[in-house]
Amino acid sequence: MGFISNLLERRKAPERPAALDVEPGENIVLAPVSGRVEGVETLPDPVFAGEVMGRTLAIWPSEGRLFSPVSGTVVSAMPHAVGIAGDDGVEVLIHVGIDTVEMAGDGFTLFAGKGDHVRAGEPLMCFDREKIQAAGHHDVIMTIVTNSDEYPEAAVVATDTVTAGSAGIKTK
């Protein structure tokens, strides 16, 4: 390949992955990525580590594909984060990385926008783990139940290593 072909190939956006074949079950927020689960208290950000925004599942991803953890309506879509109002009332924010807002969208490809209805397991975005790390950021994925006060018994049920689409947080 020549220089121009190589340059164009590097700029090509990732293809939309196929949706996961999942049935989340009642009161379950799915893991949006595959990877290693870690306790939030170890996160290098006090807001996420302190679960200030709500009950949080932290996953260090093994790949750069993010899937919807619930069925619902996208209420916010930024290059590095997606908020979803679940059909069952749960409100979820999926945040890719720490301080990745500083990347201004570089390395992120969204597949859903504000107002879209998504199904659990539908692809939301792809992200470039190498770009995130090269920019000096952590690529940990936080899945946050932002209305945790409505689910006082919400608990992280994922442990060790998870696969995207497996149970992540039980809300009741």
Side-chain angles (χ1 to χ4, degrees), residues 5-58:
S5 298
N6 284 336
L7 186 60
L8 291 174
E9 185 63 28
R10 279 188 229 145
R11 289 187 182 171
K12 184 179 175 185
E15 288 186 29
R16 182 185 177 107
L20 303 174
D21 184 19
V22 295
E23 281 296 326
E26 196 171 335
N27 305 314
I28 296 292
V29 175
L30 301 176
V33 296
S34 296
R36 180 177 46 86
V37 176
E38 192 164 305
V40 294
E41 66 281 354
T42 66
L43 293 174
D45 180 286
V47 172
F48 294 122
E51 293 188 306
V52 172
M53 292 186 283
R55 178 69 59 220
T56 303
L57 166 63

Coordinates of all heavy atoms in Angstrom, one line a residue, residues 5-58:
S5 N -3.0 5.5 0.7 CA -3.8 4.4 1.1 C -3.7 4.1 2.6 O -4.7 3.8 3.3 CB -3.5 3.1 0.3 OG -3.7 3.3 -1.1
N6 N -2.5 4.1 3.1 CA -2.2 3.8 4.5 C -2.9 4.9 5.4 O -3.5 4.6 6.4 CB -0.8 3.8 4.8 CG -0.1 2.5 4.4 OD1 -0.7 1.5 4.3 ND2 1.2 2.6 4.2
L7 N -2.8 6.2 4.9 CA -3.4 7.3 5.7 C -4.9 7.1 5.7 O -5.6 7.3 6.7 CB -3.0 8.6 5.0 CG -3.5 9.9 5.8 CD1 -2.9 9.9 7.2 CD2 -3.0 11.1 5.0
L8 N -5.5 6.8 4.6 CA -7.0 6.7 4.5 C -7.4 5.5 5.3 O -8.5 5.5 6.0 CB -7.4 6.5 3.0 CG -7.3 7.8 2.2 CD1 -7.7 7.5 0.7 CD2 -8.2 8.9 2.7
E9 N -6.7 4.4 5.3 CA -7.0 3.2 6.1 C -7.0 3.5 7.6 O -7.9 3.1 8.3 CB -6.0 2.1 5.8 CG -6.4 0.8 6.5 CD -7.7 0.2 6.0 OE1 -8.1 0.4 4.9 OE2 -8.3 -0.5 6.8
R10 N -6.1 4.3 8.0 CA -6.0 4.7 9.4 C -7.2 5.6 9.9 O -7.6 5.5 11.0 CB -4.7 5.4 9.7 CG -3.6 4.5 9.9 CD -2.4 5.2 10.4 NE -1.3 4.7 9.5 CZ -0.3 5.4 9.1 NH1 -0.1 6.6 9.5 NH2 0.6 4.9 8.3
R11 N -7.7 6.4 9.0 CA -8.8 7.3 9.3 C -10.2 6.6 9.2 O -11.2 7.2 9.6 CB -8.8 8.5 8.4 CG -7.6 9.4 8.7 CD -7.8 10.7 7.8 NE -6.6 11.5 8.1 CZ -6.4 12.6 7.4 NH1 -7.1 13.0 6.4 NH2 -5.3 13.3 7.7
K12 N -10.2 5.4 8.6 CA -11.5 4.7 8.4 C -12.1 4.4 9.8 O -11.5 3.9 10.7 CB -11.2 3.4 7.7 CG -12.5 2.7 7.3 CD -12.1 1.4 6.5 CE -13.3 0.6 6.3 NZ -12.9 -0.7 5.6
A13 N -13.4 4.8 9.9 CA -14.1 4.5 11.2 C -14.4 3.0 11.3 O -14.5 2.3 10.4 CB -15.4 5.3 11.2
P14 N -14.4 2.6 12.6 CA -14.6 1.2 12.8 C -16.1 0.8 12.4 O -17.0 1.6 12.4 CB -14.5 1.0 14.3 CG -14.3 2.3 14.9 CD -14.1 3.3 13.8
E15 N -16.2 -0.4 11.9 CA -17.5 -0.9 11.5 C -18.4 -1.2 12.7 O -17.9 -1.5 13.8 CB -17.4 -2.2 10.7 CG -16.8 -2.0 9.3 CD -16.9 -3.3 8.5 OE1 -17.7 -4.1 8.7 OE2 -16.0 -3.4 7.6
R16 N -19.7 -1.0 12.6 CA -20.6 -1.2 13.6 C -20.6 -2.7 13.9 O -20.9 -3.5 13.1 CB -22.0 -0.7 13.2 CG -23.0 -0.9 14.3 CD -24.4 -0.5 13.7 NE -25.4 -0.7 14.7 CZ -26.1 0.2 15.4 NH1 -25.7 1.5 15.2 NH2 -27.0 -0.1 16.2
P17 N -20.3 -3.1 15.2 CA -20.4 -4.5 15.5 C -21.8 -5.1 15.5 O -22.8 -4.3 15.6 CB -19.8 -4.6 16.9 CG -19.4 -3.2 17.3 CD -19.9 -2.3 16.3
A18 N -22.0 -6.4 15.4 CA -23.3 -7.0 15.5 C -23.8 -6.9 16.9 O -23.0 -6.8 17.9 CB -23.2 -8.5 15.1
A19 N -25.1 -6.8 17.1 CA -25.7 -6.7 18.4 C -25.5 -8.1 19.1 O -25.4 -9.1 18.5 CB -27.2 -6.4 18.3
L20 N -25.4 -8.0 20.4 CA -25.3 -9.2 21.2 C -26.7 -9.8 21.3 O -27.7 -9.1 21.3 CB -24.9 -8.9 22.6 CG -23.5 -8.1 22.7 CD1 -23.3 -7.7 24.2 CD2 -22.4 -9.0 22.2
D21 N -26.8 -11.1 21.4 CA -28.0 -11.9 21.5 C -28.2 -12.1 23.0 O -27.7 -13.1 23.6 CB -28.0 -13.2 20.8 CG -29.3 -14.0 20.8 OD1 -30.3 -13.3 21.1 OD2 -29.3 -15.2 20.6
V22 N -28.9 -11.1 23.7 CA -29.0 -11.2 25.1 C -30.5 -10.9 25.5 O -31.2 -10.2 24.9 CB -28.1 -10.1 25.8 CG1 -26.7 -10.5 25.6 CG2 -28.4 -8.7 25.4
E23 N -30.8 -11.5 26.6 CA -32.1 -11.2 27.3 C -31.7 -10.9 28.8 O -31.3 -11.7 29.5 CB -33.0 -12.5 27.4 CG -33.7 -12.7 26.1 CD -34.7 -11.6 25.7 OE1 -35.3 -11.0 26.6 OE2 -34.8 -11.3 24.5
P24 N -31.7 -9.6 29.1 CA -31.1 -9.1 30.4 C -31.7 -9.7 31.6 O -31.1 -9.8 32.7 CB -31.2 -7.6 30.4 CG -32.0 -7.3 29.2 CD -32.2 -8.5 28.3
G25 N -33.0 -10.0 31.6 CA -33.7 -10.4 32.8 C -34.1 -9.2 33.6 O -33.7 -8.1 33.4
E26 N -35.0 -9.4 34.5 CA -35.7 -8.4 35.3 C -34.7 -7.8 36.3 O -34.0 -8.5 36.9 CB -36.9 -8.9 36.0 CG -37.8 -7.8 36.5 CD -39.1 -8.4 37.0 OE1 -39.5 -9.5 36.6 OE2 -39.7 -7.7 37.9
N27 N -34.6 -6.5 36.3 CA -33.8 -5.7 37.3 C -32.3 -5.9 37.1 O -31.5 -5.9 38.1 CB -34.2 -6.1 38.7 CG -35.7 -5.8 39.0 OD1 -36.2 -4.8 38.6 ND2 -36.3 -6.8 39.6
I28 N -31.9 -6.2 35.9 CA -30.4 -6.4 35.6 C -29.9 -5.4 34.6 O -30.5 -5.1 33.6 CB -30.2 -7.8 35.0 CG1 -30.5 -8.9 36.0 CG2 -28.8 -8.0 34.5 CD1 -29.6 -9.0 37.2
V29 N -28.8 -4.8 34.9 CA -28.0 -3.9 34.0 C -26.9 -4.7 33.6 O -26.1 -5.3 34.4 CB -27.6 -2.6 34.8 CG1 -26.7 -1.8 33.9 CG2 -28.7 -1.8 35.3
L30 N -26.7 -4.9 32.3 CA -25.7 -5.8 31.7 C -24.3 -5.1 31.7 O -24.2 -3.9 31.7 CB -26.1 -6.1 30.3 CG -27.4 -6.8 30.1 CD1 -27.6 -7.1 28.6 CD2 -27.4 -8.2 30.8
A31 N -23.3 -5.9 31.7 CA -21.9 -5.4 31.5 C -21.9 -4.9 30.0 O -22.2 -5.7 29.1 CB -20.9 -6.5 31.7
P32 N -21.4 -3.7 29.8 CA -21.4 -3.2 28.4 C -20.2 -3.5 27.6 O -20.1 -3.3 26.4 CB -21.5 -1.6 28.6 CG -20.8 -1.4 29.9 CD -21.1 -2.6 30.8
V33 N -19.2 -4.1 28.3 CA -17.9 -4.5 27.6 C -17.4 -5.8 28.2 O -17.8 -6.2 29.4 CB -16.8 -3.5 27.7 CG1 -17.1 -2.2 27.0 CG2 -16.4 -3.2 29.2
S34 N -16.6 -6.5 27.5 CA -15.9 -7.6 28.1 C -14.6 -7.1 28.8 O -14.0 -6.1 28.3 CB -15.5 -8.6 27.0 OG -16.6 -9.2 26.4
G35 N -14.2 -7.7 29.9 CA -13.0 -7.3 30.5 C -12.9 -7.8 32.0 O -13.6 -8.6 32.4
R36 N -12.0 -7.1 32.7 CA -11.7 -7.4 34.1 C -12.5 -6.5 35.0 O -12.3 -5.2 34.9 CB -10.2 -7.3 34.3 CG -9.8 -7.7 35.8 CD -8.3 -7.6 35.9 NE -7.6 -6.5 35.3 CZ -7.5 -5.3 35.9 NH1 -7.9 -5.1 37.1 NH2 -6.9 -4.3 35.2
V37 N -13.3 -7.0 35.9 CA -14.0 -6.2 36.9 C -13.1 -5.8 38.0 O -12.3 -6.6 38.5 CB -15.2 -7.0 37.4 CG1 -16.0 -6.2 38.5 CG2 -16.2 -7.3 36.3
E38 N -13.2 -4.6 38.5 CA -12.4 -4.1 39.6 C -13.3 -3.3 40.5 O -14.2 -2.6 40.1 CB -11.2 -3.3 39.1 CG -10.2 -3.0 40.1 CD -8.9 -2.5 39.5 OE1 -8.3 -3.2 38.7 OE2 -8.5 -1.5 40.0
G39 N -13.0 -3.3 41.8 CA -13.7 -2.5 42.8 C -13.5 -1.1 42.5 O -12.4 -0.6 42.2
V40 N -14.6 -0.3 42.6 CA -14.6 1.1 42.3 C -13.6 1.9 43.2 O -13.1 2.9 42.7 CB -16.0 1.8 42.3 CG1 -16.8 1.2 41.2 CG2 -16.6 1.7 43.7
E41 N -13.4 1.4 44.4 CA -12.5 2.2 45.3 C -11.1 2.3 44.8 O -10.3 3.1 45.2 CB -12.6 1.5 46.7 CG -12.0 0.1 46.8 CD -12.9 -1.0 46.3 OE1 -14.1 -0.8 46.0 OE2 -12.4 -2.1 46.2
T42 N -10.7 1.4 43.8 CA -9.4 1.5 43.3 C -9.2 2.4 42.1 O -8.1 2.6 41.6 CB -8.9 0.1 42.8 OG1 -9.7 -0.3 41.7 CG2 -9.0 -0.9 44.0
L43 N -10.4 3.0 41.6 CA -10.3 3.8 40.4 C -9.5 5.1 40.7 O -9.6 5.7 41.8 CB -11.7 4.2 40.0 CG -12.5 3.0 39.4 CD1 -14.0 3.5 39.1 CD2 -11.9 2.5 38.2
P44 N -8.7 5.6 39.7 CA -7.9 6.8 39.9 C -8.7 8.1 39.7 O -8.1 9.0 39.1 CB -6.8 6.6 38.8 CG -7.5 5.8 37.7 CD -8.5 4.9 38.4
D45 N -9.9 8.1 40.1 CA -10.7 9.4 40.1 C -11.7 9.3 41.3 O -12.4 8.4 41.4 CB -11.5 9.4 38.8 CG -12.4 10.6 38.6 OD1 -13.4 10.7 39.3 OD2 -12.0 11.5 37.8
P46 N -11.6 10.4 42.1 CA -12.4 10.3 43.4 C -13.9 10.3 43.1 O -14.6 9.8 43.9 CB -11.9 11.6 44.1 CG -11.3 12.5 43.1 CD -10.8 11.6 42.0
V47 N -14.4 10.9 42.1 CA -15.8 11.0 41.8 C -16.3 9.6 41.5 O -17.3 9.1 42.0 CB -16.2 11.9 40.6 CG1 -17.6 11.8 40.2 CG2 -15.8 13.4 41.1
F48 N -15.6 8.9 40.6 CA -16.0 7.5 40.3 C -15.7 6.5 41.4 O -16.6 5.7 41.8 CB -15.3 7.0 39.0 CG -15.7 7.7 37.8 CD1 -14.7 8.4 37.0 CD2 -17.0 7.8 37.3 CE1 -15.1 9.1 35.8 CE2 -17.4 8.5 36.2 CZ -16.4 9.1 35.4
A49 N -14.6 6.7 42.1 CA -14.2 5.8 43.2 C -15.2 5.9 44.4 O -15.5 5.0 45.0 CB -12.8 6.1 43.7
G50 N -15.7 7.1 44.5 CA -16.7 7.4 45.6 C -18.1 7.1 45.3 O -19.0 7.4 46.1
E51 N -18.4 6.6 44.0 CA -19.7 6.4 43.5 C -20.6 7.6 43.8 O -21.8 7.5 44.1 CB -20.3 5.1 44.2 CG -19.6 3.9 43.7 CD -20.3 2.6 44.2 OE1 -20.6 2.5 45.4 OE2 -20.6 1.8 43.3
V52 N -20.1 8.8 43.5 CA -20.8 10.0 43.7 C -22.1 10.1 42.8 O -23.1 10.6 43.2 CB -19.9 11.3 43.5 CG1 -20.7 12.6 43.5 CG2 -18.8 11.3 44.5
M53 N -22.0 9.6 41.6 CA -23.1 9.6 40.7 C -24.0 8.5 40.8 O -25.1 8.4 40.2 CB -22.5 9.7 39.3 CG -21.9 11.0 39.0 SD -21.4 11.2 37.2 CE -19.9 10.1 37.2
G54 N -23.7 7.4 41.6 CA -24.5 6.3 41.8 C -23.7 5.0 41.8 O -22.5 5.0 41.6
R55 N -24.4 3.9 42.0 CA -23.8 2.6 42.1 C -23.1 2.3 40.8 O -23.6 2.6 39.7 CB -24.9 1.5 42.3 CG -24.4 0.1 42.3 CD -23.5 -0.3 43.5 NE -24.3 -0.1 44.7 CZ -23.8 0.4 45.8 NH1 -22.6 0.8 45.9 NH2 -24.6 0.5 46.9
T56 N -21.8 1.9 40.9 CA -20.9 1.9 39.7 C -20.3 0.5 39.5 O -19.7 -0.1 40.5 CB -19.8 2.9 39.8 OG1 -20.4 4.2 40.0 CG2 -18.9 2.9 38.6
L57 N -20.3 0.0 38.3 CA -19.6 -1.2 37.9 C -18.4 -0.7 37.1 O -18.5 0.1 36.1 CB -20.4 -2.1 37.0 CG -19.8 -3.2 36.2 CD1 -19.1 -4.2 37.2 CD2 -20.8 -3.9 35.3
A58 N -17.1 -1.1 37.5 CA -15.9 -0.7 36.8 C -15.3 -1.9 36.1 O -15.1 -2.9 36.7 CB -14.9 -0.1 37.7

